[in-house]
Each structure stands twice: as structure tokens, then as C-alpha cells.
Amino acid sequence: MRELLCYLALTEHASKEAIGLALWPDASDAQLRNVFHVTLHHLRRALGDAPWIVFERHGYRLVRVTADGQQCALDVDDITHKVFTRDQGLRFKRSFDQRGAAVTDCV
């Protein structure tokens, strides 16, 4: 459950297949369908009533601010902001390889 939250916090939008490759690479399609939906259900329950995880455009994303103004504050957002906005004249691009692993490149 924690891994799914971290993955969604580090991606803007992800399909079930991309999440499955990153978190459960050895799972069959049937196993992935089961483990993904069970994990997602438990994560949504742990996060409470607000719709923090939404399905749209054939994928999932973590909502940072809900329609009623609730904010999701994550340490990873603060850390990422500090790392990727340092005034060093460097710009970084974060992307994901085919298995869903984070790749950070200097551009």
C-alpha cells in the first residue's frame, strides 16, 4: 500500500499496467488485476473520505487539492521541489522507463 502511494506521488498520471510493472513485475494479468484493486481499495480507505486517488484518462493520479479545497501535503512534494528547483543553472527532467522506474536526467 505504501509503495502504491509513493508511486502515485512521484507520477502525474499512471496506467494500471505501468503501476503493475513497477510494483509487481512478476504478476500475471489476473494477479495484477487482483493485487492492484485490493491495494488501491486499502489505500483509499486509509486516506479517508476525500477522493485523493482518481481514475481519469485511462489511468490513476494522486489529487493534491480536492474540489472542496482539502490539500494533500506530502514530504516527497517538498523534497522534490527543493531538489528540482535549486538555483544551480541545471534543469532536470523526471521520466519513467518501460518498467516504471524513475529516471532523472539533466537537460
Side-chain angles (χ1 to χ4, degrees):
M1 186 170 64
R2 187 176 318 164
E3 291 83 4
L4 179 56
L5 177 60
C6 290
Y7 187 88
L8 292 171
L10 293 170
T11 59
E12 291 181 28
H13 182 268
S15 69
K16 178 176 66 175
E17 292 76 19
I19 295 168
L21 283 173
L23 301 182
W24 306 285
D26 298 326
S28 68
D29 289 343
Q31 291 170 325
L32 172 59
R33 190 171 30 258
N34 182 55
V35 72
F36 176 77
H37 287 291
V38 168
T39 304
L40 181 62
H41 171 77
H42 288 295
L43 179 56
R44 282 179 166 157
R45 218 170 100 194
L47 292 174
D49 294 332
W52 296 115
I53 301 171
V54 297
F55 179 79
E56 61 186 19
R57 299 185 338 259
H58 307 288
Y60 295 85
R61 74 178 180 89
L62 182 65
V63 174
R64 299 302 206 261
V65 180
T66 63
D68 63 355
Q70 294 183 60
Q71 293 189 2
C72 178
L74 300 171
D75 291 342
V76 71
D77 290 333
D78 186 43
I79 293 167
T80 302
H81 175 74
K82 288 177 182 174
V83 169
F84 290 103
T85 59
R86 283 189 182 156
D87 187 21
Q88 297 178 345
L90 297 176
R91 295 180 54 212
F92 295 91
K93 177 182 77 175
R94 186 174 51 195
S95 59
F96 294 85
D97 65 16
Q98 289 181 338
R99 298 199 64 199
V103 177
T104 302
D105 296 314
C106 187
V107 293

